[in-house]
Amino acid sequence: MRYRTVGGQRVSAVGLGAMPLSIEGRPDEARAMATVHAALDAGVTLLDTADSYHLPGDEPGHNERLVARALATYGGDTADVLVTTKGGRGRPADGSWTVTGSPRHLKSAAEASLKRLGVEAIGLYQLHKPDPAVPFEESVGALRDLLDEGKIRHAGISNTDVGQIRRAHALLGDRLVSVQNRYSPAVRDSEPELRLCAELGLAFLPWSPLGGISRSSLDGPSPEDAGHSTGPGDSTLPGHGTGLDAFHAVARERGVSPQQVCLAWLLARSPVVVPIPGASRPGTIRDSAGAADLELTPEEVARLEVEAGVGS
C-alpha cells in the first residue's frame, strides 16, 4: 500500500467510499461489515461517510453508525484510520438530495455525527455542498467555529469551484485540508479545482472515481462490476461502450481489472489525489485497494490521458 497525506496525516492512497453500504441497493448488515473489514485488511485507512447516506426518509446517520460499528468490531489496530464525514445534505422520503448550509444546521449536524461515530473529535468534517440560499462564508464559518471548539480536527469542502476553494482557504488557512469533488476519466469538470488543490497543498478526494469504467464495448457484464460503485447517476450499460476502452485494454495487458487501472491513473494525475471508490462487496474493495500498488508506465499514462481527453 502506498500512502498520501490529508492534513498532515498519512492515509492509504486509496480510500473507501462507504455510501453504497447504506443507500438504495445496499447489502445486508453482514456483507456491509465484511466490506469495511476487507478494506481495513487491505490497508485502507481512509473511510468516507456522511450523515445523509441513508435510505430516503430514514433517520440520518445510518452509514456513520455502520462505519463506527465496523471499526469497533474489527480485530486489528484502527488507530491510524481517518474517518471523514460530511454535513449539509438531507434525504427526504421522495428520494431527493436537499442542501442546508446554515451555520446552525451544520453545527447541529456535526454534533450528531460526533455522537454516532463515538469519537471525541471528528478527524475530517466537510461541508457536503454549498447552499445557494446561505452565504458561503457563513457555512465555512461554521466549520471554523467547530475547529475552534475542538469538535473537528480538520475541515474540508465538497462539490465546490475554484472561487469557493480560495474563499474557504482564506477563512480557514491550513485548517482547510481537503476538497471532495466528482472526478473520473469520464467526468473531468473539476480539472481546475484539482490543479488549485495541488497548488495549495490540499488533498483532492474524487467521488465517483470509476464513472464510465465499469462497462465497456470490450466487456459484457461481470460479477466484479456488480460490486463496484461508479456513483450516483452512472447509467452506462453493458455492451454500449464508454469511449474509454483504453482503460480496459491496459487492464487486459496487465492482468488486472479496469477499475484498478482507472484508480492507478487517478493517482498518477497528482500526488494530492486520494480516490474514494465505493464498494458493496469485500472483493471489490480489495481489488480497488490493489490500485495503490499498480504503477503505470509513462507510456500507459499518456495513452490513457489521450483517451480521457486530458489537456484537450
Side-chain angles (χ1 to χ4, degrees):
M1 175 62 70
R2 282 184 287 167
Y3 295 90
R4 299 208 159 166
T5 59
V6 177
Q9 180 172 339
R10 191 177 83 150
V11 299
S12 55
V14 174
L16 168 65
M19 182 180 73
L21 304 178
S22 292
I23 62 168
E24 295 88 331
R26 68 192 188 191
D28 61 28
E29 175 89 359
R31 198 175 90 194
M33 298 289 278
T35 300
V36 179
H37 289 169
L40 298 171
D41 286 341
V44 172
T45 61
L46 189 149
L47 306 179
D48 179 78
T49 181
D51 61 359
S52 58
Y53 294 165
H54 58 80
L55 294 177
D58 277 6
E59 287 292 320
H62 179 277
N63 200 244
E64 292 174 322
R65 287 189 292 269
L66 188 150
V67 167
R69 288 196 301 276
L71 288 170
T73 57
Y74 183 64
D77 185 9
T78 61
D80 293 334
V81 174
L82 174 63
V83 176
T84 171
T85 192
K86 299 176 287 295
R89 303 209 75 177
R91 295 217 70 198
D94 65 3
S96 63
W97 292 84
T98 59
V99 182
T100 308
S102 69
R104 180 177 180 179
H105 173 81
L106 291 173
K107 291 178 183 181
S108 175
E111 292 271 11
S113 293
L114 193 84
K115 293 176 183 176
R116 286 189 290 263
L117 292 171
V119 294
E120 294 181 359
I122 297 171
L124 172 57
Y125 191 72
Q126 300 183 107
L127 172 66
H128 205 152
K129 187 175 184 178
D131 185 345
V134 176
F136 185 65
E137 280 76 8
E138 290 186 12
S139 297
V140 176
L143 300 182
R144 180 186 56 206
D145 292 344
L146 290 166
L147 287 162
D148 291 343
E149 294 164 8
K151 294 176 180 175
I152 67 176
R153 293 195 174 94
H154 299 290
I157 52 178
S158 182
N159 299 300
T160 49
D161 60 30
V162 164
Q164 290 164 332
I165 296 171
R166 290 195 182 279
R167 288 155 64 191
H169 188 258
L171 282 170
L172 300 177
D174 60 9
R175 297 193 293 178
L176 177 72
V177 303
S178 65
V179 172
Q180 184 170 325
N181 279 13
R182 187 177 187 182
Y183 188 83
S184 70
V187 181
R188 294 181 293 98
D189 296 345
S190 284
E191 197 77 41
E193 288 74 22
L194 170 56
R195 289 195 295 268
L196 180 58
C197 284
E199 175 188 324
L200 297 177
L202 305 176
F204 185 81
L205 314 178
W207 65 265
S208 193
L210 300 175
I213 296 299
S214 285
R215 296 291 185 266
S216 165
S217 59
L218 295 177
D219 298 271
S222 72
E224 290 77 15
D225 284 344
H228 278 284
S229 174
T230 57
D234 191 300
S235 58
T236 313
L237 298 174
H240 285 216
T242 64
L244 296 169
D245 291 342
F247 286 82
H248 291 254
V250 170
R252 288 183 173 182
E253 292 163 10
R254 285 294 202 105
V256 299
S257 72
Q259 289 85 2
Q260 269 198 28
V261 173
C262 175
L263 295 171
W265 175 78
L266 287 168
L267 291 172
R269 296 289 297 126
S270 170
V272 302
V273 171
V274 183
I276 46 171
S280 60
R281 301 174 186 274
T284 52
I285 187 54
R286 283 193 289 265
D287 181 71
S288 291
D293 296 319
L294 177 63
E295 296 205 36
L296 301 171
T297 67
E299 293 76 18
E300 287 170 329
V301 170
R303 178 180 173 189
L304 297 172
E305 293 195 346
V306 166
E307 181 150 302
V310 173
S312 64

